[in-house]
Amino acid sequence: MSIPIGLQLYSLREDATKDFVGVLKSVAAMGYAGVEFAGYGGLSPEELKTILGDLGLRVAGSHVGFDQLDKQLDEVLSFNTKLGNKFLICPAAPRELLADGGADDWKAFAHKLSEIGAKAKAKGLQLAYHNHAWEFKTIDGQHVLDIFFANVDPNNVMAELDLGWTFHAGVDPVTYLQKFKGRCPLVHIKDFKQDGPQTEVGTGDVDLAGIVATAPKVGVEWYIIETEQYNMAPVDSVRVGLHNLKTVLQK
């Protein structure tokens, strides 16, 4: 069974603030199989579920900030259960941790997310953590991200590896993905030029062919395109990215 392609709606954040439902309609028309949320456009879970059903879109997941996961978890779980979402993703560690957290701080954060993940699991949801390039700094010779994942409960906190940011940090995304067999149900697909800026998916130097060859072997359930910097209108950028990723998948 082929892995479906979703869009992280943050990619179209400016358009979404003006017409959230219109963005969902355009994403469906492009041919995306699903969406990953980063906010819900002020709609209730029941309204969203109906709209998605009408458009033939599935929920790939939802990014929810750590502060909200920590302080409003019951509300988050209730909303996403009603929405029919399976995956909750913490999009980043707290800023102070990213700035100057030591190994013990990252271990404490891992244990905290594991506790949150256990509560999510009890409600039928799976928590995951999404990386940027920052987590590939080293402490005592280890990537921060490796320290983090070595200290989470692997059942309660899985990975949403952002393979573009991994590449941008100077780490081979294919090799890194191979380390997460059974622990990485979601991957973010974005593209960068080598030692350069972010660009449309399929127009940079990230090894998309290697990624799509590896993803089924490690248990990836969704490819999720996310583009945050563009060489064209955002809506055109994510359309081009979808076309290019599908082209690689069809080879």
Side-chain angles (χ1 to χ4, degrees):
M1 186 174 177
S2 61
I3 299 170
I5 304 172
L7 179 70
Q8 167 49 257
L9 291 173
Y10 187 74
S11 305
L12 300 176
R13 53 198 174 277
E14 291 186 9
D15 290 342
T17 61
K18 301 169 188 171
D19 184 2
F20 195 82
V21 175
V23 164
L24 292 175
K25 289 178 179 177
S26 68
V27 170
M30 287 179 210
Y32 279 92
V35 291
E36 183 180 65
F37 290 100
Y40 310 104
L43 298 168
S44 71
E46 294 85 0
E47 289 170 325
L48 269 179
K49 190 172 184 178
T50 297
I51 292 165
L52 294 175
D54 290 344
L55 294 174
L57 288 171
R58 287 182 278 160
V59 185
S62 185
H63 277 206
V64 181
F66 172 72
D67 198 51
Q68 196 175 0
L69 289 170
D70 186 30
K71 297 175 182 175
Q72 298 173 281
L73 185 60
D74 289 344
E75 296 170 37
V76 170
L77 296 178
S78 175
F79 189 102
N80 282 276
T81 299
K82 292 173 184 174
L83 180 59
N85 180 27
K86 179 180 176 182
F87 294 108
L88 288 176
I89 303 98
C90 179
R95 289 189 180 275
E96 62 273 15
L97 188 61
L98 293 169
D100 55 12
D104 288 343
D105 300 310
W106 278 95
K107 290 175 184 178
F109 177 61
H111 295 150
K112 180 62 179 177
L113 269 194
S114 295
E115 292 173 1
I116 293 171
K119 293 175 182 176
K121 198 104 176 180
K123 297 292 185 180
L125 289 125
Q126 176 65 58
L127 184 64
Y129 181 79
H130 165 271
N131 66 281
H132 292 78
W134 312 307
E135 294 93 338
F136 287 98
K137 72 177 183 179
T138 57
I139 297 175
D140 297 330
Q142 280 188 292
H143 292 306
V144 162
L145 196 59
D146 291 327
I147 294 170
F148 170 78
F149 276 115
N151 286 278
V152 296
D153 182 321
N155 294 311
N156 293 337
V157 183
M158 291 192 172
E160 178 180 68
L161 291 182
D162 189 310
L163 299 171
W165 283 123
T166 302
F167 172 84
H168 192 59
V171 176
D172 179 64
V174 174
T175 302
Y176 201 73
L177 179 59
Q178 289 169 344
K179 295 167 57 175
F180 283 82
K181 186 173 184 179
R183 295 187 68 181
C184 187
L186 312 168
V187 291
H188 267 201
I189 305 292
K190 59 167 53 78
D191 213 341
F192 285 86
K193 298 289 188 181
Q194 186 75 48
D195 300 321
Q198 190 178 148
T199 186
E200 279 67 38
V201 167
T203 67
D205 294 308
V206 171
D207 182 9
L208 293 182
I211 288 169
V212 302
T214 303
K217 300 174 185 176
V218 302
V220 170
E221 297 180 31
W222 279 95
Y223 298 118
I224 300 170
I225 286 177
E226 183 185 41
T227 303
E228 299 165 85
Q229 298 172 348
Y230 321 91
N231 297 304
M232 58 189 75
V235 69
D236 294 327
S237 176
V238 299
R239 184 182 290 111
V240 166
L242 176 63
H243 171 79
N244 289 343
L245 181 55
K246 282 185 171 180
T247 300
V248 174
L249 285 165
Q250 289 162 3
K251 287 181 180 178

